[in-house]
Amino acid sequence: MLTVPKEKLRDYIDRELEPSGWLTIDQKRITAFADITLDRQFIHVDEAKAANTPFGSTIAHGYLTLSLISYFATECGIGPANAVMAINYGSDRVRFLQPVKVNSRVRARAVLKQVDDSESERVLIKTKFTIDIDGA
């Protein structure tokens, strides 16, 4: 994560930051997510059945991909220097435009969109994250 003095954050608005590293979404990760969320739809966990779908393999849950943004934010996000903690405030718009097939590599790109530092002890940062699928 890039950290800069609070008063310099606005200098990064609308600038794309360095992307995160690649992360492989393997079947073990997909199955673990299915188990923890109780979403065991065959397209995620049954490799033989999923092979006969238009995807040709199992695919990651959209929410698995979304949940990785917290991890990716630590790699490619931006925040104020000397922050004590960061809290996820929520999402404004989420779209799953393409499935993430098993064994795909994904990464995130981040663009700082808004900074609200009107409260002396808090900074609200709005960041746009885009997930790339290697080769797609």
Side-chain angles (χ1 to χ4, degrees):
M1 173 182 279
L2 175 63
T3 58
V4 298
K6 182 172 126 174
E7 54 277 355
K8 297 278 189 191
L9 280 169
R10 282 191 176 76
D11 295 345
Y12 289 85
I13 290 177
D14 290 329
R15 288 176 43 192
E16 187 166 312
L17 305 169
E18 286 293 317
S20 72
W22 292 101
L23 177 70
T24 300
I25 307 299
D26 59 14
Q27 189 60 50
K28 183 177 176 183
R29 186 181 305 274
I30 294 169
T31 301
F33 191 84
D35 290 343
I36 200 76
T37 61
L38 306 177
D39 180 356
R40 299 190 49 79
Q41 185 180 167
F42 83 91
I43 195 63
H44 305 303
V45 296
D46 188 330
E47 295 174 69
K49 208 169 170 182
N52 293 316
T53 69
F55 303 120
S57 69
T58 56
I59 59 172
H61 305 70
Y63 286 116
L64 166 55
T65 306
L66 180 64
S67 72
L68 291 171
I69 290 178
S70 294
Y71 164 72
F72 286 133
T74 66
E75 287 208 351
C76 69
I78 187 169
N82 303 318
V84 174
M85 72 176 117
I87 297 182
N88 182 348
Y89 187 67
S91 300
D92 288 342
R93 183 171 178 253
V94 176
R95 297 291 180 267
F96 304 112
L97 302 178
Q98 189 167 344
V100 176
K101 293 181 181 182
V102 66
N103 297 321
S104 293
R105 293 185 332 145
V106 297
R107 72 173 180 187
R109 291 180 289 118
V111 177
L112 180 63
K113 298 307 288 181
Q114 186 177 337
V115 176
D116 179 358
D117 60 355
S118 59
E119 294 186 41
S120 64
E121 297 295 320
R122 296 183 193 174
V123 179
L124 180 62
I125 295 172
K126 185 175 186 178
T127 306
K128 177 182 177 181
F129 286 96
T130 303
I131 304 296
D132 295 328
I133 305 169
D134 193 16

